[in-house]
Amino acid sequence: DVKVTQSSRYLVKRTGEKVFLECVQDMDHENMFWYRQDPGLGLRLIYFSYDVKMKEKGDIPEGYSVSREKKERFSLILESASTNQTSMYLCASSLVDRGNNEKLFFGSGTQLSVL
Amino acid sequence: QQQVKQSPQSLIVQKGGISIINCAYENTAFDYFPWYQQFPGKGPALLIAIRPDVSEKKEGRFTISFNKSAKQFSLHIMDSQPGDSATYFCAAVNNAGNMLTFGGGTRLMVKP
């Protein structure tokens, strides 16, 4: 089974702090993603990466950055946390099947509260 | 502005009933439509998916109905069970292979 592991289940930080969210996948997937989940808004893509040291902005990248130094690890960084970044953060990796359909595998999420 | 609109936001169904969740989209370049299921405390997991060359796909009690002309698709859960209680997300991907666009989610509760 594919396993996507997020380092923290719950995190509480103060406004202005630098926050690191870590994600590791064990299936040698090339594609990795960071989403945030908010009630009524579904999952919104923050950043994604197709390869080591490669990153692309998603729909809501403002206030975030990412790092992918190794294939299995994709980190989300909040340079200066703000209260509007309180949310559930979901990491995912993906594979493309023989039908050219992409399947995402998600971690269990990190609930971040910024006070 | 959400490119994929999902309704309802929440749904309560009696055990044995049919749960229906609807999604609509605008972008005609979308050509792959998966549904993800999320249980509390877990990340979403792929449940079922469809391409627009078919109007319906069934896997067990779960069926996707697709109406290309109306740009709508829906998930039907037959004989709904309490274990189906979860949040369901529809999604769409365009034919350029860009990222999934998710709907807002539907929280389903199936009462025993």
Side-chain angles (χ1 to χ4, degrees), chain A residues 24-38:
Chain A
V24 177
Q25 51 98 0
D26 67 355
M27 281 301 291
D28 203 36
H29 290 165
E30 293 186 348
N31 305 337
M32 295 190 74
F33 309 83
W34 276 105
Y35 288 87
R36 64 177 281 176
Q37 179 178 1
D38 300 286

Side-chain angles (χ1 to χ4, degrees), chain A residues 30-99:
Chain A
E30 293 186 348
N31 305 337
M32 295 190 74
F33 309 83
W34 276 105
Y35 288 87
R36 64 177 281 176
Q37 179 178 1
D38 300 286
L41 298 178
L43 283 72
R44 292 180 292 166
L45 181 64
I46 305 171
Y47 267 96
F48 61 98
S49 169
Y50 283 128
D51 203 350
V52 175
K53 296 192 186 295
M54 177 273 180
K55 60 185 178 184
E56 292 287 343
K57 293 180 180 179
D59 298 320
I60 51 166
E62 297 77 19
Y64 304 94
S65 63
V66 290
S67 171
R68 193 160 180 207
E69 295 297 318
K70 293 184 178 181
K71 190 175 185 178
E72 67 271 18
R73 188 179 296 270
F74 193 34
S75 304
L76 180 69
I77 303 156
L78 287 67
E79 294 290 341
S80 177
S82 63
T83 54
N84 63 12
Q85 292 178 310
T86 291
S87 185
M88 170 68 78
Y89 290 87
L90 288 162
C91 174
S93 67
S94 76
L95 61 81
V96 177
D97 65 19
R98 285 174 288 181

Side-chain angles (χ1 to χ4, degrees), chain B residues 10-53:
Chain B
S10 62
L11 181 61
I12 300 174
V13 173
Q14 290 293 134
K15 179 182 175 181
I18 302 174
S19 304
I20 302 174
I21 304 170
N22 300 299
C23 287
Y25 63 97
E26 288 296 324
N27 187 345
T28 55
F30 287 145
D31 70 344
Y32 176 61
F33 302 88
W35 286 86
Y36 281 77
Q37 178 188 54
Q38 183 183 30
F39 292 109
K42 301 291 186 183
L46 180 65
L47 178 65
I48 187 173
I50 196 169
R51 284 199 174 267
D53 52 345

Side-chain angles (χ1 to χ4, degrees), chain A residues 9 33 35 37 40-43 45 50 100-104 106-108, chain B residues 2 9 32 36 38 41-44 46 51 89 97 99-100 102-104:
Chain A
R9 183 75 183 93
F33 309 83
Y35 288 87
Q37 179 178 1
L41 298 178
L43 283 72
L45 181 64
Y50 283 128
N100 202 34
N101 302 315
E102 187 166 32
K103 179 178 179 180
L104 266 64
F106 285 89
S108 294
Chain B
Q2 282 189 315
Q9 273 198 314
Y32 176 61
Y36 281 77
Q38 183 183 30
K42 301 291 186 183
L46 180 65
R51 284 199 174 267
F89 295 96
M99 296 303 98
L100 266 67
F102 284 90

Side-chain angles (χ1 to χ4, degrees), chain B residues 1-104:
Chain B
Q1 182 182 358
Q2 282 189 315
Q3 292 192 52
V4 179
K5 294 186 178 179
Q6 183 172 345
S7 63
Q9 273 198 314
S10 62
L11 181 61
I12 300 174
V13 173
Q14 290 293 134
K15 179 182 175 181
I18 302 174
S19 304
I20 302 174
I21 304 170
N22 300 299
C23 287
Y25 63 97
E26 288 296 324
N27 187 345
T28 55
F30 287 145
D31 70 344
Y32 176 61
F33 302 88
W35 286 86
Y36 281 77
Q37 178 188 54
Q38 183 183 30
F39 292 109
K42 301 291 186 183
L46 180 65
L47 178 65
I48 187 173
I50 196 169
R51 284 199 174 267
D53 52 345
V54 296
S55 60
E56 186 175 283
K57 183 174 182 180
K58 185 176 181 178
E59 290 184 3
R61 295 183 295 108
F62 299 89
T63 299
I64 302 177
S65 297
F66 188 83
N67 186 330
K68 190 173 182 178
S69 60
K71 292 185 284 186
Q72 295 175 347
F73 58 109
S74 59
L75 177 69
H76 295 231
I77 306 174
M78 312 300 289
D79 186 27
S80 299
Q81 299 296 312
D84 297 329
S85 297
T87 299
Y88 292 82
F89 295 96
C90 62
V93 183
N94 68 26
N95 51 22
N98 289 341
M99 296 303 98
L100 266 67
T101 298
F102 284 90

